[in-house]
């Protein structure tokens, strides 16, 4: 009897862990856009640091990011436990903000402001103050992105038992932090690895070629990460908003049925395109409203819907 009871307990624990793993995978998939953007932004924050300070800066930001999760995860769980009606509105706000941030990034890249160019050309007069400012800015950015990740992840598991939510959301928080800052630490050292291989033993031709490829490819990798993260922000944000508005459910179902009638492969593409178009449109509208509000406060402001 004791052995049977122990096996039953082990089976229950395994079942719970499987459920938590499934919830974690679903949440990670839904938050992939923000995670990609978080990765690109944090890697960009280290740009301009001396090589010997890159990893200490990444570690300092990672500790701040972990503290952000310690604050955000319990707050989200309390909301889910005591005010569950707030989860969906918060999810919608997070989706809209994702669209806005994505549109703002695209606009700033296509139409860079003179202030941004001036800031980029400035070299840090005080390296210590510059480093501390970068760390503080990165932690603030991480707080915003972490809040979006936590809210989106919570939205995928809001109907689950509270124990499942606690364990899955904690796993997402710890996993995202480890993944993002582990990859950032690797990315910021890629150019150093490439340079070391290039300057290494001249007889090691293959290694020196790899060094050249790494040095040439790292900027494109960083740019690709940024593009992928921004694209995913539109897709995830647009999907959240479209599926969060009941009036849009019927048109989406009609689109899905029409696409399925054309080909089994088309519904996924149609849904992705719809999410992307919605994300860009929502981001453009919100950015325009933010610009108009800023212009109303400062009539002589430059005509651009990015941050003022």
């Amino acid at each position: 009897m004791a052995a049977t009871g122990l096996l039953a307990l082990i089976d229950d624990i395994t079942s719970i862990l499987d459920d938590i793993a499934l919830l974690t995978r679903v949440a990670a998939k839904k938050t992939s856009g923000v995670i990609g953007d978080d990765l690109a932004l944090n890697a960009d924050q280290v740009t301009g640091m001396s090589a010997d300070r890159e990893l200490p800066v990444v570690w300092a930001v990672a500790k701040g990011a972990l503290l952000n999760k310690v604050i955000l995860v319990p707050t989200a769980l309390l909301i889910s436990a005591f005010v569950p009606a707030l989860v969906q509105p918060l999810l919608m706000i997070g989706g809209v903000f994702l669209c806005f941030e994505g549109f703002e990034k695209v606009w700033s890249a296509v139409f860079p402001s003179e202030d941004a160019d001036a800031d980029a050309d400035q070299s840090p007069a005080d390296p210590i103050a510059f480093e501390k400012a970068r760390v503080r800015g990165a932690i603030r950015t991480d707080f915003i992105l972490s809040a979006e990740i936590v809210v989106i992840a919570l939205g995928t598991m809001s109907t689950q038992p509270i124990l499942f939510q606690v364990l899955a959301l904690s796993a997402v928080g710890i996993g995202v932090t480890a993944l993002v800052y582990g990859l950032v630490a690797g990315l910021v050292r890629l150019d150093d690895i490439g340079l070391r291989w290039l300057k290494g033993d001249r007889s090691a031709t293959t290694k020196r070629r790899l060094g050249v490829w790494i040095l040439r490819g790292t900027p494109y990798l960083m740019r690709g990460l940024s593009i992928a993260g921004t694209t995913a922000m539109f897709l995830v944000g647009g999907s959240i908003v479209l599926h969060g508005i009941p009036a849009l459910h019927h048109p989406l179902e009609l689109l899905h049925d029409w696409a399925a009638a054309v080909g089994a492969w088309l519904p996924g593409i149609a849904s992705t395109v719809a999410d992307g178009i919605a994300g860009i449109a929502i981001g453009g509208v919100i950015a325009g409203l933010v610009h108009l509000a800023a212009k109303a406060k400062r009539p002589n402001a430059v005509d651009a819907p990015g941050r003022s």
Side-chain angles (χ1 to χ4, degrees), residues 24-37 98 148-154 156 172 176 232 236:
T24 304
R25 285 197 298 271
V26 172
K29 183 179 178 181
K30 285 289 186 180
T31 58
S32 59
V34 197
I35 294 172
D37 199 55
L98 276 177
E148 294 174 6
I149 289 170
V150 169
V151 169
I152 293 170
L154 185 62
T156 66
V172 169
V176 165
V236 174

Side-chain angles (χ1 to χ4, degrees), residues 16-17 20-21 23-24 73 77 157 161-174:
I16 290 172
L17 291 177
I20 291 168
L23 286 174
T24 304
V73 169
L77 290 169
M157 60 185 78
I162 189 65
L163 176 61
F164 284 22
Q165 293 184 37
V166 170
L167 295 176
L169 206 56
S170 299
V172 169
I174 295 171

Side-chain angles (χ1 to χ4, degrees), residues 225-268:
L225 280 172
S226 181
I227 292 172
T230 303
T231 302
M233 289 175 81
F234 286 128
L235 295 177
V236 174
S239 175
I240 289 171
V241 175
L242 285 180
H243 290 85
I245 300 176
L248 295 177
H249 282 174
H250 185 59
L252 286 175
E253 288 173 359
L254 290 177
L255 175 64
H256 186 276
D257 293 342
W258 171 83
V262 175
W265 49 271
L266 197 55

Side-chain angles (χ1 to χ4, degrees), residues 14-267:
T14 304
S15 178
I16 290 172
L17 291 177
D18 286 342
D19 290 340
I20 291 168
L22 178 61
L23 286 174
T24 304
R25 285 197 298 271
V26 172
K29 183 179 178 181
K30 285 289 186 180
T31 58
S32 59
V34 197
I35 294 172
D37 199 55
D38 198 4
L39 173 61
L41 284 174
N42 280 287
D44 185 60
Q45 289 286 356
V46 187
T47 303
M49 299 289 175
S50 59
D52 62 321
R53 294 303 302 161
E54 287 175 342
L55 289 182
V57 167
V58 172
W59 175 238
V61 178
K63 289 189 290 185
L66 196 57
L67 180 60
N68 287 340
K69 308 298 191 302
V70 170
I71 295 170
L72 290 167
V73 169
T75 301
L77 290 169
L78 287 172
I79 291 173
S80 179
F82 297 103
V83 200
L86 279 180
V87 172
Q88 184 61 27
L90 288 174
L91 188 61
M92 292 288 288
I93 291 171
V96 169
F97 190 77
L98 276 177
C99 298
F100 166 67
E101 283 286 288
F103 191 88
E104 189 180 47
K105 282 183 64 179
V106 172
W107 186 273
S108 298
V110 177
F111 304 104
S113 66
E114 293 180 3
D115 291 340
D117 291 339
D119 289 342
D121 292 337
Q122 288 178 355
S123 57
D126 185 349
I128 296 177
F130 175 75
E131 180 178 307
K132 289 181 177 178
R134 275 294 181 90
V135 170
R136 287 195 300 269
I139 292 174
R140 282 196 302 269
T141 301
D142 179 271
F143 187 88
I144 296 171
L145 293 173
S146 293
E148 294 174 6
I149 289 170
V150 169
V151 169
I152 293 170
L154 185 62
T156 66
M157 60 185 78
S158 58
T159 59
Q160 299 297 321
I162 189 65
L163 176 61
F164 284 22
Q165 293 184 37
V166 170
L167 295 176
L169 206 56
S170 299
V172 169
I174 295 171
V176 165
T177 304
L179 174 66
V180 167
Y181 293 98
L183 288 174
V184 168
L187 285 172
V188 299
R189 302 306 292 179
L190 269 181
D191 53 351
D192 296 318
I193 293 171
L195 188 61
R196 191 180 304 121
W197 286 0
L198 180 61
K199 292 182 175 180
D201 185 359
R202 292 190 174 274
S203 62
T205 309
T206 302
K207 201 170 183 180
R208 296 184 76 239
R209 269 188 202 150
L210 284 173
V212 172
W213 290 345
I214 289 173
L215 287 173
R216 290 178 177 174
T218 299
Y220 294 102
L221 174 62
M222 298 300 295
R223 192 177 305 165
L225 280 172
S226 181
I227 292 172
T230 303
T231 302
M233 289 175 81
F234 286 128
L235 295 177
V236 174
S239 175
I240 289 171
V241 175
L242 285 180
H243 290 85
I245 300 176
L248 295 177
H249 282 174
H250 185 59
L252 286 175
E253 288 173 359
L254 290 177
L255 175 64
H256 186 276
D257 293 342
W258 171 83
V262 175
W265 49 271
L266 197 55

Side-chain angles (χ1 to χ4, degrees), residues 252-299:
L252 286 175
E253 288 173 359
L254 290 177
L255 175 64
H256 186 276
D257 293 342
W258 171 83
V262 175
W265 49 271
L266 197 55
I269 296 177
S271 296
T272 300
V273 171
D275 292 342
I277 292 173
I280 294 170
I282 293 164
V285 169
I286 300 301
L289 292 174
V290 170
H291 165 59
L292 289 176
K295 192 173 182 181
K297 291 182 180 178
R298 296 186 303 174

